[in-house]
Amino acid sequence: MASLDSPITIVRPHLIEFGVGTAGKLGKWAAGKGYRRTLVISDAFNASRIDVLELKGEVTVFAEVTPEPDTANLEKVLAAANAADAELIVGFGGGSAMDLAKLAAVLAGSAQTLQEVVGPNKVHGPRKVALAQVPTTSGTGSEAGIRALVTDPATMAKLAVESLHMLADIAVIDPALTFSVPARTTAATGVDAMAHCVEAFTNRKAHPMVDIYAIQGTRLVGKYLARAVKDGNDAEARAGLSLASLYGGFCLGPVNTAGGHALAYPLGTRWHVAHGAANALIFPHVLAFNTPSAPEKTKAVMEALGCETSGSVTSVFDAAYAFCAELGIEMKLSGLGVPESDLDAMADDAFAIRRLLDNNPRDLSRADIRSIYAAAF
């Protein structure tokens, strides 16, 4: 764990608008900047309600964002971006739409290819277009960050791009946009937001400057997630989760996630399990595994979630598992259609994600990963 005097770099979108009913502020901001041509990158559902953004001028909509987008989906986005010749690109949706918007903002019209920018700090700047992010789920926190991920279908691996040039000029977080999210998705994405916070809080790179966001984000999920699952129109609960998601996004830049996300990724890339659902299923297993290496922080996490434990590995697992299961989340790999015959390949894939595993507070061997998958089956 980093100490208080350890160097750290914190970044935020240049402007953040937060609160129920704020979606229309994007259009007012864009008009004030004089942007006349806008490309909105979205999925089919959210594309049907772009009027809430109150955008003026020539607005082009790309409505074909897919869950867990791959390089083919990105190629379509880039073609649309090049054709639109936009001055402003808007990511409107969940993490998939926002990640593709980031990549479109730096790659459209650029001489660089995706393969040339994979990794940290490889994007050439400055960016030629403005970038806005408007989340419609409470999970990824992508609106706040500088990373974007797409899947390479050939290798079934996530390609991660990290660059300050992908930081949004404005993030508009309107919890009202999440009212329509179904209960099951609300539960899974809420746990994903919490996993961002918890993995950053217990991380080898954890830092006091980030810990405050991480633990508060966890508290917000503990307080509001069950309420939002029960009543999707509970404005206070939805706002609490939107804030938790934003705080989770704040954690990702300087600290990032760890073992939980590394083990969750193969579920999405190989079996197209939604990212939130994958993280929720894996969460109690990795939290319990890490407990011996981060006992005090694990205790703080469980208290933040409102869970009572003795501090033992078993009690931490049981409490975390119950927290997720009681939200209606599927907690078995077999229940998500993952075959037992694929567990070895998944373990190989997860063990190769060193950029995250190296952050984990306790070393996760390939055998440890395989054991966790077996226990989750």
Side-chain angles (χ1 to χ4, degrees), residues 160-247:
V161 180
E162 177 184 344
S163 173
L164 284 170
H165 297 301
M166 296 195 301
L167 186 66
D169 296 293
I170 181 173
V172 180
I173 301 136
D174 184 346
L177 296 172
T178 70
F179 287 1
S180 59
V181 177
R184 189 174 295 274
T185 305
T186 297
T189 54
V191 175
D192 183 29
M194 181 261 289
H196 292 158
C197 294
V198 171
E199 289 180 44
F201 188 62
T202 57
N203 200 298
R204 282 178 176 165
K205 296 179 183 175
H207 193 285
M209 194 169 180
V210 172
D211 281 354
I212 190 168
Y213 294 113
I215 198 63
Q216 181 61 13
T218 305
R219 289 192 190 104
L220 288 166
V221 171
K223 182 175 182 178
Y224 290 118
L225 182 52
R227 274 177 53 178
V229 169
K230 183 178 181 180
D231 178 6
N233 292 312
D234 184 332
E236 181 183 45
R238 288 295 194 183
L241 292 182
S242 292
L243 188 56
S245 182
L246 179 65
Y247 284 172

Side-chain angles (χ1 to χ4, degrees), residues 25-323:
K25 289 190 174 185
L26 177 61
K28 295 179 179 63
W29 174 85
K33 293 288 186 179
Y35 299 134
R36 296 161 297 173
R37 296 185 306 279
T38 301
L39 171 65
V40 179
I41 297 173
S42 189
D43 57 274
F45 170 72
N46 285 301
S48 69
R49 55 175 181 166
I50 63 166
D51 288 350
V52 300
L53 304 178
E54 299 181 18
L55 293 164
K56 308 298 182 184
E58 183 181 338
V59 179
T60 303
V61 181
F62 177 89
E64 300 176 44
V65 171
T66 60
E68 303 294 314
D70 61 12
T71 52
N73 201 200
L74 174 62
E75 287 171 4
K76 290 183 178 180
V77 168
L78 294 179
N82 286 325
D85 189 27
E87 297 164 306
L88 169 65
I89 291 178
V90 180
F92 184 44
S96 298
M98 291 188 285
D99 279 10
L100 289 177
K102 290 176 187 175
L103 291 170
V106 297
L107 291 178
S110 168
Q112 288 187 287
T113 66
L114 173 64
Q115 293 296 334
E116 289 172 335
V117 299
V118 170
N121 307 315
K122 294 183 180 179
V123 174
H124 296 163
R127 192 173 67 216
K128 299 177 182 178
V129 299
L131 175 63
Q133 300 285 25
V134 186
T136 61
T137 62
S138 298
T140 69
S142 184
E143 68 275 9
I146 58 172
R147 289 187 177 89
L149 295 95
V150 290
T151 299
D152 181 345
T155 62
M156 295 187 182
K158 293 275 190 181
L159 302 176
V161 180
E162 177 184 344
S163 173
L164 284 170
H165 297 301
M166 296 195 301
L167 186 66
D169 296 293
I170 181 173
V172 180
I173 301 136
D174 184 346
L177 296 172
T178 70
F179 287 1
S180 59
V181 177
R184 189 174 295 274
T185 305
T186 297
T189 54
V191 175
D192 183 29
M194 181 261 289
H196 292 158
C197 294
V198 171
E199 289 180 44
F201 188 62
T202 57
N203 200 298
R204 282 178 176 165
K205 296 179 183 175
H207 193 285
M209 194 169 180
V210 172
D211 281 354
I212 190 168
Y213 294 113
I215 198 63
Q216 181 61 13
T218 305
R219 289 192 190 104
L220 288 166
V221 171
K223 182 175 182 178
Y224 290 118
L225 182 52
R227 274 177 53 178
V229 169
K230 183 178 181 180
D231 178 6
N233 292 312
D234 184 332
E236 181 183 45
R238 288 295 194 183
L241 292 182
S242 292
L243 188 56
S245 182
L246 179 65
Y247 284 172
F250 288 171
C251 295
L252 295 181
V255 176
N256 208 3
T257 54
H261 270 65
L263 270 67
Y265 279 144
L267 278 68
T269 55
R270 299 183 70 87
W271 296 101
H272 307 292
V273 174
H275 180 66
N279 271 292
L281 186 152
I282 292 295
F283 172 71
H285 295 274
V286 175
L287 181 68
F289 178 87
N290 287 338
T291 295
S293 295
E296 293 304 316
K297 284 202 163 184
T298 302
K299 179 183 178 182
V301 165
M302 302 312 291
E303 290 174 350
L305 292 176
C307 299
E308 293 185 6
T309 73
S310 67
S312 69
V313 170
T314 300
S315 69
V316 167
F317 173 82
D318 289 345
Y321 187 97
F323 179 87

